[in-house]
């Protein structure tokens, strides 16, 4: 949508980061076509009657504010509705926003992930979201190359030694 207007600012704060920090920090916003059964195409045999879902993740840049803070702006009305399959107008639906961090962005490194899923999380969120991660998984998780690590809640973090953890907090605010 070249005229996207529903802007939000996402801020990332890292606490007790592993030595070496994060050289790669990126953001992604997700969208699905919400009426795909009406506007999409059906698969042929052996999947007769199946309509494949259509979704898209759009990257957005995060700017480094300090060694522990980043921020970026994303739009929830990125998708421009249209008749993509010749069967009627498809409507895009915002599904979520997230961030990913890794030591350098190299293949094999752990991807530390967090975000909001609008199907289960309130959006825009009233409170920041904090996830905790084991420092032992940095820069790579042993025997798990390219591990997508979603971390755990504060409640679960209480069961771990605090000096072996770091946290990522994200905050989202509507841009007025």
């Amino acid at each position: 949508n070249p005229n996207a207007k529903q802007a939000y600012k996402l801020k990332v704060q890292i606490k007790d980061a592993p030595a070496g920090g994060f050289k790669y920090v990126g953001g992604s916003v997700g969208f699905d076509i919400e009426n795909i059964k009406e506007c999409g195409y059906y698969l042929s045999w052996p999947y007769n009657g199946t309509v494949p879902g259509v979704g898209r993740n759009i990257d957005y840049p995060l700017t480094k504010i300090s060694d522990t803070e980043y921020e970026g702006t994303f739009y929830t009305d990125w998708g421009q509705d249209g008749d993509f399959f010749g069967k009627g107008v498809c409507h895009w639906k915002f599904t979520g926003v997230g961030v990913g961090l890794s030591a350098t962005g190299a293949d094999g490194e752990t991807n530390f992930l967090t975000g909001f899923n609008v199907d289960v999380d309130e959006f825009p969120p009233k409170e920041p979201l904090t996830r905790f991660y084991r420092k032992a998984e940095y820069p790579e998780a042993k025997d798990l190359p390219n591990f997508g690590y979603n971390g755990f809640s504060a409640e679960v973090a209480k069961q771990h030694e605090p000096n072996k953890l770091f946290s990522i907090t994200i905050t989202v605010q509507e841009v007025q």
Side-chain angles (χ1 to χ4, degrees), residues 53-95:
V54 175
R56 179 91 191 264
N57 287 324
I58 305 298
D59 293 338
Y60 65 95
L62 290 165
T63 303
K64 185 175 184 175
I65 306 302
S66 71
D67 285 342
T68 61
E69 296 176 295
Y70 297 81
E71 67 180 26
T73 301
F74 66 94
Y75 295 84
T76 58
D77 60 343
W78 163 86
Q80 187 166 11
D81 297 345
D83 186 353
F84 308 117
F85 306 104
K87 301 208 176 202
V89 176
C90 294
H91 302 286
W92 288 102
K93 172 184 145 186
F94 166 66
T95 59

Side-chain angles (χ1 to χ4, degrees), residues 51-171:
V51 180
V54 175
R56 179 91 191 264
N57 287 324
I58 305 298
D59 293 338
Y60 65 95
L62 290 165
T63 303
K64 185 175 184 175
I65 306 302
S66 71
D67 285 342
T68 61
E69 296 176 295
Y70 297 81
E71 67 180 26
T73 301
F74 66 94
Y75 295 84
T76 58
D77 60 343
W78 163 86
Q80 187 166 11
D81 297 345
D83 186 353
F84 308 117
F85 306 104
K87 301 208 176 202
V89 176
C90 294
H91 302 286
W92 288 102
K93 172 184 145 186
F94 166 66
T95 59
V97 62
V99 298
L101 299 83
S102 66
T104 67
D107 187 45
E109 291 181 344
T110 299
N111 297 298
F112 298 92
L113 309 168
T114 188
F116 294 99
N117 176 338
V118 299
D119 289 336
V120 293
D121 300 315
E122 180 179 16
F123 195 89
K126 291 185 176 128
E127 300 290 328
L129 172 65
T130 300
R131 302 292 291 172
F132 294 84
Y133 306 83
R134 291 174 3 111
K135 290 180 182 179
E137 309 306 333
Y138 176 94
E140 297 176 1
K142 184 178 176 162
D143 299 324
L144 290 172
N146 301 308
F147 177 42
Y149 191 9
N150 291 304
F152 42 87
S153 68
E155 190 63 34
V156 174
K158 291 176 186 177
Q159 301 169 22
H160 294 268
E161 294 178 44
N163 63 339
K164 293 185 177 184
L165 301 176
F166 71 96
S167 66
I168 300 171
T169 300
I170 58 173
T171 306

